[in-house]
Amino acid sequence: SQRAGVILYLAASLFGGYILTPNEVCEILRIGKNRLYFLLQTGIIKGYREGNRWKISEQAVYDYIASQSHYT
């Protein structure tokens, strides 16, 4: 619906891109879920919980990659 599109647009602009699930982040970073949850719980990757589910912004993944890169 149009309303859902507006909500996705607002979320993307507020949170630095799309909101990703833990499975998507694991695929992008090629890490396991336990490692991802450790990174989230320690704040190394920024995310938030919605109920019992983690949500991670696309920008948070980019920031983590940049922080791990030796070329920045």
Side-chain angles (χ1 to χ4, degrees):
S1 75
Q2 185 177 0
R3 185 168 188 259
V6 169
I7 291 170
L8 281 175
Y9 171 77
L10 290 174
S13 61
L14 285 174
F15 298 110
Y18 291 100
I19 305 301
L20 304 170
T21 66
N23 286 339
E24 292 169 328
V25 176
C26 287
E27 282 185 37
I28 292 167
L29 298 178
R30 295 184 181 183
I31 61 174
K33 276 194 172 184
N34 288 336
R35 179 69 180 153
L36 176 61
Y37 290 136
F38 171 80
L39 295 171
L40 288 166
Q41 291 167 350
T42 56
I44 296 170
I45 292 180
K46 305 294 183 207
Y48 66 94
R49 291 185 73 131
E50 189 174 273
N52 64 349
R53 296 180 184 195
W54 280 98
K55 305 289 183 171
I56 305 107
S57 73
E58 191 176 42
Q59 186 62 50
V61 176
Y62 293 147
D63 292 345
Y64 173 73
I65 292 168
S67 74
Q68 300 301 303
S69 174
H70 300 291
Y71 301 106
T72 58

Short mmCIF file of all heavy atoms in Angstrom, two decimals:
data_model
loop_
_atom_site.label_atom_id
_atom_site.label_comp_id
_atom_site.label_asym_id
_atom_site.label_seq_id
_atom_site.Cartn_x
_atom_site.Cartn_y
_atom_site.Cartn_z
N SER A 1 0.83 -1.19 0.00
CA SER A 1 0.00 0.00 0.00
C SER A 1 0.88 1.25 0.00
O SER A 1 2.07 1.18 0.28
CB SER A 1 -0.93 -0.01 1.21
OG SER A 1 -0.23 0.32 2.38
N GLN A 2 0.27 2.36 -0.28
CA GLN A 2 1.01 3.62 -0.32
C GLN A 2 1.53 3.99 1.06
O GLN A 2 2.64 4.48 1.19
CB GLN A 2 0.11 4.74 -0.87
CG GLN A 2 0.87 6.04 -1.04
CD GLN A 2 -0.01 7.12 -1.67
OE1 GLN A 2 -1.16 6.89 -1.96
NE2 GLN A 2 0.55 8.29 -1.86
N ARG A 3 0.72 3.73 2.10
CA ARG A 3 1.13 4.04 3.48
C ARG A 3 2.39 3.25 3.86
O ARG A 3 3.31 3.78 4.47
CB ARG A 3 0.00 3.73 4.44
CG ARG A 3 0.31 4.14 5.87
CD ARG A 3 -0.95 4.08 6.73
NE ARG A 3 -0.68 4.63 8.03
CZ ARG A 3 -0.47 3.91 9.11
NH1 ARG A 3 -0.53 2.61 9.05
NH2 ARG A 3 -0.22 4.49 10.27
N ALA A 4 2.44 1.98 3.50
CA ALA A 4 3.60 1.15 3.81
C ALA A 4 4.84 1.70 3.10
O ALA A 4 5.93 1.71 3.67
CB ALA A 4 3.35 -0.29 3.41
N GLY A 5 4.68 2.16 1.88
CA GLY A 5 5.79 2.75 1.15
C GLY A 5 6.31 4.01 1.83
O GLY A 5 7.52 4.23 1.90
N VAL A 6 5.41 4.83 2.33
CA VAL A 6 5.80 6.05 3.03
C VAL A 6 6.56 5.69 4.31
O VAL A 6 7.59 6.29 4.63
CB VAL A 6 4.57 6.93 3.35
CG1 VAL A 6 4.93 8.06 4.30
CG2 VAL A 6 3.98 7.47 2.06
N ILE A 7 6.08 4.70 5.03
CA ILE A 7 6.74 4.27 6.26
C ILE A 7 8.14 3.74 5.97
O ILE A 7 9.10 4.07 6.66
CB ILE A 7 5.88 3.23 7.00
CG1 ILE A 7 4.62 3.92 7.55
CG2 ILE A 7 6.67 2.56 8.13
CD1 ILE A 7 3.58 2.97 8.10
N LEU A 8 8.29 2.94 4.92
CA LEU A 8 9.61 2.44 4.54
C LEU A 8 10.54 3.58 4.16
O LEU A 8 11.71 3.58 4.51
CB LEU A 8 9.50 1.45 3.38
CG LEU A 8 9.07 0.04 3.73
CD1 LEU A 8 8.89 -0.78 2.47
CD2 LEU A 8 10.08 -0.61 4.64
N TYR A 9 10.02 4.57 3.43
CA TYR A 9 10.83 5.71 3.04
C TYR A 9 11.30 6.48 4.27
O TYR A 9 12.47 6.85 4.38
CB TYR A 9 10.04 6.64 2.11
CG TYR A 9 10.76 7.93 1.84
CD1 TYR A 9 11.82 7.98 0.95
CD2 TYR A 9 10.40 9.10 2.51
CE1 TYR A 9 12.50 9.17 0.72
CE2 TYR A 9 11.07 10.29 2.29
CZ TYR A 9 12.12 10.32 1.40
OH TYR A 9 12.80 11.48 1.19
N LEU A 10 10.40 6.72 5.21
CA LEU A 10 10.76 7.46 6.43
C LEU A 10 11.79 6.69 7.25
O LEU A 10 12.75 7.27 7.75
CB LEU A 10 9.52 7.75 7.28
CG LEU A 10 8.55 8.77 6.71
CD1 LEU A 10 7.29 8.85 7.56
CD2 LEU A 10 9.21 10.13 6.60
N ALA A 11 11.59 5.39 7.38
CA ALA A 11 12.54 4.57 8.13
C ALA A 11 13.92 4.60 7.46
O ALA A 11 14.94 4.72 8.14
CB ALA A 11 12.03 3.14 8.24
N ALA A 12 13.93 4.51 6.15
CA ALA A 12 15.21 4.53 5.43
C ALA A 12 15.92 5.85 5.61
O ALA A 12 17.13 5.90 5.81
CB ALA A 12 14.98 4.24 3.94
N SER A 13 15.19 6.96 5.57
CA SER A 13 15.83 8.26 5.72
C SER A 13 16.25 8.53 7.16
O SER A 13 17.29 9.12 7.41
CB SER A 13 14.92 9.38 5.20
OG SER A 13 13.72 9.42 5.92
N LEU A 14 15.49 8.04 8.13
CA LEU A 14 15.83 8.26 9.54
C LEU A 14 16.97 7.38 10.01
O LEU A 14 17.82 7.80 10.78
CB LEU A 14 14.61 7.99 10.43
CG LEU A 14 13.52 9.03 10.43
CD1 LEU A 14 12.32 8.54 11.24
CD2 LEU A 14 14.02 10.34 11.01
N PHE A 15 17.00 6.13 9.56
CA PHE A 15 17.95 5.16 10.09
C PHE A 15 19.10 4.86 9.14
O PHE A 15 19.83 3.90 9.36
CB PHE A 15 17.22 3.87 10.48
CG PHE A 15 16.21 4.08 11.55
CD1 PHE A 15 14.86 3.99 11.27
CD2 PHE A 15 16.60 4.40 12.84
CE1 PHE A 15 13.92 4.19 12.27
CE2 PHE A 15 15.67 4.60 13.83
CZ PHE A 15 14.32 4.50 13.55
N GLY A 16 19.29 5.64 8.11
CA GLY A 16 20.44 5.45 7.24
C GLY A 16 20.32 4.26 6.33
O GLY A 16 21.19 3.42 6.28
N GLY A 17 19.26 4.18 5.59
CA GLY A 17 19.07 3.08 4.66
C GLY A 17 17.98 2.15 5.15
O GLY A 17 17.22 2.48 6.05
N TYR A 18 17.94 0.99 4.57
CA TYR A 18 16.90 0.03 4.93
C TYR A 18 17.22 -0.65 6.25
O TYR A 18 18.36 -0.71 6.68
CB TYR A 18 16.74 -1.00 3.82
CG TYR A 18 16.14 -0.41 2.58
CD1 TYR A 18 16.94 -0.06 1.50
CD2 TYR A 18 14.78 -0.16 2.51
CE1 TYR A 18 16.38 0.52 0.37
CE2 TYR A 18 14.21 0.41 1.39
CZ TYR A 18 15.03 0.75 0.32
OH TYR A 18 14.47 1.32 -0.79
N ILE A 19 16.19 -1.18 6.87
CA ILE A 19 16.34 -1.94 8.10
C ILE A 19 16.49 -3.41 7.72
O ILE A 19 15.69 -3.95 6.95
CB ILE A 19 15.12 -1.74 9.02
CG1 ILE A 19 14.89 -0.26 9.30
CG2 ILE A 19 15.29 -2.55 10.31
CD1 ILE A 19 16.06 0.43 9.96
N LEU A 20 17.52 -4.04 8.24
CA LEU A 20 17.85 -5.41 7.90
C LEU A 20 17.56 -6.36 9.06
O LEU A 20 17.59 -5.95 10.22
CB LEU A 20 19.33 -5.52 7.54
CG LEU A 20 19.82 -4.61 6.42
CD1 LEU A 20 21.34 -4.64 6.33
CD2 LEU A 20 19.19 -4.99 5.10
N THR A 21 17.30 -7.60 8.73
CA THR A 21 17.11 -8.64 9.75
C THR A 21 18.48 -9.24 10.09
O THR A 21 19.43 -9.13 9.30
CB THR A 21 16.19 -9.75 9.24
OG1 THR A 21 16.84 -10.42 8.15
CG2 THR A 21 14.85 -9.20 8.79
N PRO A 22 18.58 -9.92 11.22
CA PRO A 22 19.83 -10.61 11.54
C PRO A 22 20.28 -11.59 10.45
O PRO A 22 21.47 -11.66 10.15
CB PRO A 22 19.52 -11.34 12.85
CG PRO A 22 18.50 -10.45 13.50
CD PRO A 22 17.64 -9.96 12.35
N ASN A 23 19.35 -12.32 9.86
CA ASN A 23 19.72 -13.25 8.78
C ASN A 23 20.37 -12.53 7.61
O ASN A 23 21.35 -13.01 7.04
CB ASN A 23 18.50 -14.05 8.30
CG ASN A 23 18.08 -15.11 9.28
OD1 ASN A 23 18.86 -15.55 10.12
ND2 ASN A 23 16.83 -15.53 9.19
N GLU A 24 19.81 -11.38 7.24
CA GLU A 24 20.37 -10.61 6.13
C GLU A 24 21.76 -10.10 6.47
O GLU A 24 22.68 -10.16 5.63
CB GLU A 24 19.45 -9.44 5.77
CG GLU A 24 18.13 -9.89 5.18
CD GLU A 24 17.10 -8.78 5.07
OE1 GLU A 24 17.09 -7.86 5.92
OE2 GLU A 24 16.28 -8.84 4.13
N VAL A 25 21.94 -9.62 7.70
CA VAL A 25 23.26 -9.12 8.11
C VAL A 25 24.27 -10.25 8.14
O VAL A 25 25.42 -10.08 7.70
CB VAL A 25 23.17 -8.40 9.47
CG1 VAL A 25 24.55 -7.98 9.95
CG2 VAL A 25 22.24 -7.19 9.38
N CYS A 26 23.88 -11.41 8.63
CA CYS A 26 24.78 -12.56 8.62
C CYS A 26 25.23 -12.92 7.21
O CYS A 26 26.40 -13.23 6.99
CB CYS A 26 24.12 -13.77 9.28
SG CYS A 26 23.98 -13.66 11.07
N GLU A 27 24.31 -12.87 6.27
CA GLU A 27 24.67 -13.16 4.87
C GLU A 27 25.63 -12.11 4.32
O GLU A 27 26.60 -12.44 3.66
CB GLU A 27 23.41 -13.19 4.00
CG GLU A 27 22.62 -14.47 4.12
CD GLU A 27 21.45 -14.51 3.15
OE1 GLU A 27 21.60 -14.02 2.01
OE2 GLU A 27 20.40 -15.02 3.54
N ILE A 28 25.34 -10.85 4.60
CA ILE A 28 26.19 -9.76 4.09
C ILE A 28 27.61 -9.87 4.65
O ILE A 28 28.59 -9.75 3.91
CB ILE A 28 25.58 -8.39 4.45
CG1 ILE A 28 24.28 -8.18 3.66
CG2 ILE A 28 26.57 -7.26 4.18
CD1 ILE A 28 23.44 -7.02 4.16
N LEU A 29 27.71 -10.10 5.96
CA LEU A 29 29.02 -10.13 6.62
C LEU A 29 29.67 -11.50 6.61
O LEU A 29 30.84 -11.63 6.99
CB LEU A 29 28.88 -9.66 8.07
CG LEU A 29 28.40 -8.22 8.26
CD1 LEU A 29 28.26 -7.92 9.74
CD2 LEU A 29 29.33 -7.24 7.58
N ARG A 30 28.89 -12.52 6.20
CA ARG A 30 29.38 -13.90 6.19
C ARG A 30 29.87 -14.33 7.57
O ARG A 30 30.99 -14.83 7.73
CB ARG A 30 30.47 -14.09 5.14
CG ARG A 30 29.95 -13.88 3.74
CD ARG A 30 30.98 -14.14 2.71
NE ARG A 30 30.40 -13.90 1.40
CZ ARG A 30 31.02 -14.10 0.28
NH1 ARG A 30 32.25 -14.55 0.28
NH2 ARG A 30 30.44 -13.85 -0.87
N ILE A 31 29.00 -14.09 8.56
CA ILE A 31 29.28 -14.50 9.93
C ILE A 31 28.08 -15.29 10.44
O ILE A 31 26.99 -15.23 9.86
CB ILE A 31 29.56 -13.30 10.86
CG1 ILE A 31 28.35 -12.34 10.92
CG2 ILE A 31 30.83 -12.58 10.44
CD1 ILE A 31 28.50 -11.21 11.92
N GLY A 32 28.27 -15.99 11.54
CA GLY A 32 27.19 -16.75 12.14
C GLY A 32 26.33 -15.88 13.04
O GLY A 32 26.70 -14.76 13.41
N LYS A 33 25.18 -16.43 13.41
CA LYS A 33 24.26 -15.68 14.26
C LYS A 33 24.84 -15.39 15.64
O LYS A 33 24.63 -14.31 16.18
CB LYS A 33 22.93 -16.42 14.40
CG LYS A 33 21.99 -16.16 13.27
CD LYS A 33 20.60 -16.64 13.64
CE LYS A 33 19.63 -16.19 12.57
NZ LYS A 33 18.26 -16.53 12.89
N ASN A 34 25.55 -16.35 16.22
CA ASN A 34 26.13 -16.11 17.54
C ASN A 34 27.10 -14.93 17.51
O ASN A 34 27.10 -14.11 18.43
CB ASN A 34 26.84 -17.36 18.08
CG ASN A 34 25.86 -18.44 18.49
OD1 ASN A 34 24.71 -18.16 18.79
ND2 ASN A 34 26.33 -19.68 18.49
N ARG A 35 27.91 -14.85 16.48
CA ARG A 35 28.85 -13.73 16.34
C ARG A 35 28.09 -12.43 16.17
O ARG A 35 28.44 -11.41 16.78
CB ARG A 35 29.79 -13.97 15.16
CG ARG A 35 30.78 -12.86 14.92
CD ARG A 35 31.81 -12.78 16.02
NE ARG A 35 32.74 -11.69 15.73
CZ ARG A 35 33.41 -11.05 16.67
NH1 ARG A 35 33.31 -11.39 17.93
NH2 ARG A 35 34.21 -10.07 16.34
N LEU A 36 27.05 -12.43 15.36
CA LEU A 36 26.27 -11.22 15.15
C LEU A 36 25.62 -10.76 16.46
O LEU A 36 25.67 -9.58 16.80
CB LEU A 36 25.19 -11.42 14.08
CG LEU A 36 24.27 -10.21 13.88
CD1 LEU A 36 25.04 -8.99 13.43
CD2 LEU A 36 23.16 -10.55 12.92
N TYR A 37 25.02 -11.69 17.21
CA TYR A 37 24.38 -11.31 18.46
C TYR A 37 25.40 -10.76 19.46
O TYR A 37 25.11 -9.82 20.20
CB TYR A 37 23.60 -12.48 19.05
CG TYR A 37 22.37 -12.82 18.24
CD1 TYR A 37 22.03 -14.12 17.95
CD2 TYR A 37 21.53 -11.82 17.74
CE1 TYR A 37 20.91 -14.43 17.20
CE2 TYR A 37 20.41 -12.12 16.98
CZ TYR A 37 20.10 -13.42 16.72
OH TYR A 37 18.99 -13.72 15.98
N PHE A 38 26.60 -11.30 19.46
CA PHE A 38 27.66 -10.75 20.31
C PHE A 38 27.97 -9.31 19.90
O PHE A 38 28.08 -8.42 20.75
CB PHE A 38 28.93 -11.61 20.21
CG PHE A 38 30.11 -10.98 20.88
CD1 PHE A 38 30.26 -11.05 22.26
CD2 PHE A 38 31.07 -10.31 20.14
CE1 PHE A 38 31.35 -10.45 22.89
CE2 PHE A 38 32.16 -9.71 20.75
CZ PHE A 38 32.30 -9.78 22.13
N LEU A 39 28.11 -9.08 18.60
CA LEU A 39 28.40 -7.73 18.11
C LEU A 39 27.28 -6.75 18.44
O LEU A 39 27.54 -5.58 18.77
CB LEU A 39 28.66 -7.76 16.60
CG LEU A 39 29.89 -8.55 16.15
CD1 LEU A 39 29.90 -8.71 14.63
CD2 LEU A 39 31.16 -7.89 16.63
N LEU A 40 26.04 -7.20 18.38
CA LEU A 40 24.91 -6.35 18.72
C LEU A 40 24.86 -6.07 20.22
O LEU A 40 24.67 -4.93 20.64
CB LEU A 40 23.60 -7.00 18.28
CG LEU A 40 23.34 -7.03 16.77
CD1 LEU A 40 22.22 -8.00 16.44
CD2 LEU A 40 23.04 -5.63 16.26
N GLN A 41 25.02 -7.10 21.03
CA GLN A 41 24.91 -6.94 22.48
C GLN A 41 26.03 -6.08 23.06
O GLN A 41 25.83 -5.41 24.07
CB GLN A 41 24.87 -8.31 23.16
CG GLN A 41 23.57 -9.04 22.88
CD GLN A 41 23.61 -10.51 23.26
OE1 GLN A 41 24.65 -11.05 23.58
NE2 GLN A 41 22.45 -11.15 23.20
N THR A 42 27.19 -6.09 22.42
CA THR A 42 28.31 -5.27 22.89
C THR A 42 28.30 -3.88 22.27
O THR A 42 29.12 -3.05 22.63
CB THR A 42 29.65 -5.95 22.60
OG1 THR A 42 29.75 -6.22 21.20
CG2 THR A 42 29.80 -7.24 23.39
N GLY A 43 27.39 -3.63 21.34
CA GLY A 43 27.29 -2.32 20.72
C GLY A 43 28.29 -2.07 19.60
O GLY A 43 28.40 -0.95 19.10
N ILE A 44 29.01 -3.10 19.21
CA ILE A 44 29.97 -2.95 18.11
C ILE A 44 29.22 -2.69 16.81
O ILE A 44 29.63 -1.88 15.99
CB ILE A 44 30.89 -4.18 18.02
CG1 ILE A 44 31.73 -4.26 19.30
CG2 ILE A 44 31.76 -4.12 16.78
CD1 ILE A 44 32.51 -5.55 19.46
N ILE A 45 28.11 -3.39 16.63
CA ILE A 45 27.16 -3.07 15.56
C ILE A 45 25.93 -2.49 16.24
O ILE A 45 25.41 -3.08 17.20
CB ILE A 45 26.78 -4.31 14.72
CG1 ILE A 45 27.98 -4.81 13.92
CG2 ILE A 45 25.62 -3.98 13.77
CD1 ILE A 45 27.70 -6.04 13.08
N LYS A 46 25.49 -1.34 15.79
CA LYS A 46 24.32 -0.69 16.38
C LYS A 46 23.05 -1.33 15.83
O LYS A 46 22.93 -1.58 14.64
CB LYS A 46 24.31 0.81 16.05
CG LYS A 46 25.56 1.54 16.47
CD LYS A 46 25.72 1.56 17.96
CE LYS A 46 26.95 2.36 18.33
NZ LYS A 46 27.54 1.95 19.57
N GLY A 47 22.13 -1.60 16.73
CA GLY A 47 20.85 -2.16 16.35
C GLY A 47 19.85 -1.88 17.46
O GLY A 47 20.19 -1.29 18.49
N TYR A 48 18.64 -2.29 17.25
CA TYR A 48 17.63 -2.14 18.29
C TYR A 48 16.71 -3.35 18.26
O TYR A 48 16.64 -4.05 17.27
CB TYR A 48 16.84 -0.83 18.11
CG TYR A 48 15.99 -0.78 16.86
CD1 TYR A 48 14.65 -1.14 16.90
CD2 TYR A 48 16.52 -0.39 15.65
CE1 TYR A 48 13.86 -1.10 15.77
CE2 TYR A 48 15.76 -0.35 14.51
CZ TYR A 48 14.42 -0.69 14.57
OH TYR A 48 13.65 -0.67 13.44
N ARG A 49 16.06 -3.55 19.38
CA ARG A 49 15.15 -4.68 19.48
C ARG A 49 13.72 -4.19 19.35
O ARG A 49 13.35 -3.18 19.93
CB ARG A 49 15.32 -5.39 20.81
CG ARG A 49 16.66 -6.10 20.88
CD ARG A 49 16.76 -6.89 22.13
NE ARG A 49 15.88 -8.05 21.97
CZ ARG A 49 16.22 -9.29 22.22
NH1 ARG A 49 17.42 -9.54 22.65
NH2 ARG A 49 15.38 -10.27 22.05
N GLU A 50 12.97 -4.92 18.58
CA GLU A 50 11.54 -4.69 18.45
C GLU A 50 10.88 -5.97 18.94
O GLU A 50 10.86 -6.97 18.22
CB GLU A 50 11.19 -4.40 16.99
CG GLU A 50 9.77 -3.94 16.79
CD GLU A 50 9.56 -3.55 15.35
OE1 GLU A 50 9.81 -2.38 15.02
OE2 GLU A 50 9.15 -4.43 14.56
N GLY A 51 10.41 -5.93 20.18
CA GLY A 51 9.96 -7.17 20.81
C GLY A 51 11.17 -8.04 21.07
O GLY A 51 12.12 -7.61 21.70
N ASN A 52 11.16 -9.24 20.54
CA ASN A 52 12.32 -10.13 20.71
C ASN A 52 13.16 -10.24 19.44
O ASN A 52 13.99 -11.12 19.32
CB ASN A 52 11.86 -11.52 21.17
CG ASN A 52 11.00 -12.22 20.14
OD1 ASN A 52 10.58 -11.61 19.16
ND2 ASN A 52 10.73 -13.49 20.35
N ARG A 53 12.93 -9.33 18.50
CA ARG A 53 13.66 -9.38 17.22
C ARG A 53 14.59 -8.19 17.09
O ARG A 53 14.23 -7.06 17.40
CB ARG A 53 12.68 -9.37 16.05
CG ARG A 53 11.82 -10.59 16.04
CD ARG A 53 10.86 -10.57 14.90
NE ARG A 53 9.99 -11.73 14.99
CZ ARG A 53 9.26 -12.15 14.00
NH1 ARG A 53 9.25 -11.53 12.85
NH2 ARG A 53 8.50 -13.21 14.16
N TRP A 54 15.79 -8.47 16.61
CA TRP A 54 16.76 -7.40 16.35
C TRP A 54 16.49 -6.79 14.99
O TRP A 54 16.17 -7.50 14.03
CB TRP A 54 18.18 -7.96 16.37
CG TRP A 54 18.74 -8.16 17.73
CD1 TRP A 54 18.78 -9.32 18.43
CD2 TRP A 54 19.35 -7.17 18.55
NE1 TRP A 54 19.38 -9.12 19.64
CE2 TRP A 54 19.75 -7.80 19.74
CE3 TRP A 54 19.61 -5.80 18.40
CZ2 TRP A 54 20.39 -7.12 20.77
CZ3 TRP A 54 20.24 -5.13 19.41
CH2 TRP A 54 20.62 -5.77 20.59
N LYS A 55 16.69 -5.48 14.90
CA LYS A 55 16.63 -4.74 13.64
C LYS A 55 17.94 -3.96 13.52
O LYS A 55 18.39 -3.35 14.49
CB LYS A 55 15.47 -3.75 13.62
CG LYS A 55 14.11 -4.38 13.91
CD LYS A 55 13.65 -5.23 12.77
CE LYS A 55 12.26 -5.78 13.07
NZ LYS A 55 11.65 -6.42 11.97
N ILE A 56 18.55 -4.01 12.36
CA ILE A 56 19.85 -3.37 12.14
C ILE A 56 19.76 -2.50 10.90
O ILE A 56 19.30 -2.96 9.84
CB ILE A 56 20.96 -4.43 11.96
CG1 ILE A 56 20.98 -5.40 13.15
CG2 ILE A 56 22.32 -3.76 11.82
CD1 ILE A 56 20.45 -6.75 12.85
N SER A 57 20.20 -1.27 11.02
CA SER A 57 20.14 -0.39 9.86
C SER A 57 21.26 -0.74 8.88
O SER A 57 22.33 -1.22 9.27
CB SER A 57 20.25 1.08 10.26
OG SER A 57 21.57 1.39 10.64
N GLU A 58 20.99 -0.46 7.63
CA GLU A 58 21.98 -0.67 6.58
C GLU A 58 23.23 0.15 6.89
O GLU A 58 24.35 -0.32 6.72
CB GLU A 58 21.35 -0.24 5.26
CG GLU A 58 22.09 -0.60 4.03
CD GLU A 58 21.30 -0.21 2.78
OE1 GLU A 58 20.70 0.88 2.75
OE2 GLU A 58 21.29 -1.01 1.85
N GLN A 59 23.04 1.37 7.40
CA GLN A 59 24.16 2.25 7.73
C GLN A 59 25.03 1.65 8.83
O GLN A 59 26.25 1.77 8.81
CB GLN A 59 23.67 3.64 8.14
CG GLN A 59 24.79 4.63 8.36
CD GLN A 59 25.61 4.88 7.10
OE1 GLN A 59 25.04 5.16 6.05
NE2 GLN A 59 26.91 4.78 7.19
N ALA A 60 24.40 0.99 9.81
CA ALA A 60 25.17 0.36 10.89
C ALA A 60 26.09 -0.73 10.34
O ALA A 60 27.22 -0.90 10.82
CB ALA A 60 24.23 -0.21 11.95
N VAL A 61 25.61 -1.46 9.34
CA VAL A 61 26.45 -2.49 8.71
C VAL A 61 27.60 -1.84 7.96
O VAL A 61 28.75 -2.26 8.08
CB VAL A 61 25.61 -3.39 7.77
CG1 VAL A 61 26.48 -4.40 7.05
CG2 VAL A 61 24.52 -4.10 8.56
N TYR A 62 27.32 -0.76 7.22
CA TYR A 62 28.39 -0.02 6.51
C TYR A 62 29.42 0.51 7.51
O TYR A 62 30.63 0.43 7.27
CB TYR A 62 27.82 1.14 5.70
CG TYR A 62 26.97 0.74 4.53
CD1 TYR A 62 25.91 1.54 4.14
CD2 TYR A 62 27.22 -0.42 3.80
CE1 TYR A 62 25.11 1.20 3.06
CE2 TYR A 62 26.43 -0.76 2.72
CZ TYR A 62 25.37 0.05 2.35
OH TYR A 62 24.58 -0.30 1.28
N ASP A 63 28.95 1.06 8.63
CA ASP A 63 29.85 1.61 9.65
C ASP A 63 30.74 0.52 10.22
O ASP A 63 31.94 0.73 10.45
CB ASP A 63 29.06 2.29 10.77
CG ASP A 63 28.37 3.56 10.32
OD1 ASP A 63 28.70 4.09 9.22
OD2 ASP A 63 27.47 4.03 11.05
N TYR A 64 30.17 -0.65 10.48
CA TYR A 64 30.97 -1.76 11.00
C TYR A 64 32.03 -2.18 9.99
O TYR A 64 33.19 -2.38 10.36
CB TYR A 64 30.06 -2.94 11.35
CG TYR A 64 30.84 -4.17 11.73
CD1 TYR A 64 31.50 -4.26 12.95
CD2 TYR A 64 30.96 -5.24 10.85
CE1 TYR A 64 32.25 -5.38 13.29
CE2 TYR A 64 31.70 -6.37 11.19
CZ TYR A 64 32.33 -6.42 12.41
OH TYR A 64 33.09 -7.53 12.74
N ILE A 65 31.64 -2.32 8.75
CA ILE A 65 32.60 -2.72 7.71
C ILE A 65 33.74 -1.70 7.63
O ILE A 65 34.92 -2.05 7.58
CB ILE A 65 31.91 -2.90 6.35
CG1 ILE A 65 30.98 -4.11 6.40
CG2 ILE A 65 32.94 -3.06 5.23
CD1 ILE A 65 30.04 -4.22 5.22
N ALA A 66 33.38 -0.41 7.66
CA ALA A 66 34.40 0.64 7.59
C ALA A 66 35.33 0.58 8.81
O ALA A 66 36.54 0.78 8.67
CB ALA A 66 33.73 2.01 7.49
N SER A 67 34.79 0.28 9.98
CA SER A 67 35.61 0.24 11.19
C SER A 67 36.57 -0.96 11.17
O SER A 67 37.60 -0.92 11.83
CB SER A 67 34.73 0.18 12.45
OG SER A 67 34.16 -1.11 12.60
N GLN A 68 36.23 -1.98 10.42
CA GLN A 68 37.07 -3.17 10.33
C GLN A 68 38.06 -3.11 9.18
O GLN A 68 38.96 -3.94 9.10
CB GLN A 68 36.19 -4.42 10.18
CG GLN A 68 35.23 -4.64 11.31
CD GLN A 68 35.95 -4.77 12.65
OE1 GLN A 68 36.80 -5.62 12.82
NE2 GLN A 68 35.59 -3.91 13.59
N SER A 69 37.89 -2.12 8.33
CA SER A 69 38.73 -2.02 7.13
C SER A 69 40.07 -1.39 7.48
O SER A 69 40.14 -0.43 8.25
CB SER A 69 38.01 -1.19 6.07
OG SER A 69 38.86 -0.96 4.98
N HIS A 70 41.12 -1.90 6.90
CA HIS A 70 42.44 -1.33 7.09
C HIS A 70 42.74 -0.26 6.05
O HIS A 70 43.84 0.29 6.04
CB HIS A 70 43.50 -2.43 7.02
CG HIS A 70 43.30 -3.48 8.05
ND1 HIS A 70 43.49 -3.25 9.40
CD2 HIS A 70 42.91 -4.77 7.97
CE1 HIS A 70 43.24 -4.34 10.08
NE2 HIS A 70 42.87 -5.29 9.23
N TYR A 71 41.77 0.03 5.21
CA TYR A 71 41.99 0.97 4.11
C TYR A 71 41.33 2.31 4.35
O TYR A 71 41.30 3.14 3.46
CB TYR A 71 41.49 0.37 2.79
CG TYR A 71 42.18 -0.92 2.47
CD1 TYR A 71 41.53 -2.14 2.60
CD2 TYR A 71 43.52 -0.92 2.07
CE1 TYR A 71 42.18 -3.32 2.33
CE2 TYR A 71 44.17 -2.11 1.80
CZ TYR A 71 43.50 -3.30 1.92
OH TYR A 71 44.14 -4.47 1.65
N THR A 72 40.74 2.55 5.54
CA THR A 72 40.06 3.83 5.79
C THR A 72 40.97 4.80 6.49
O THR A 72 41.99 4.49 6.99
CB THR A 72 38.79 3.64 6.63
OG1 THR A 72 39.14 3.00 7.86
CG2 THR A 72 37.76 2.81 5.89
#
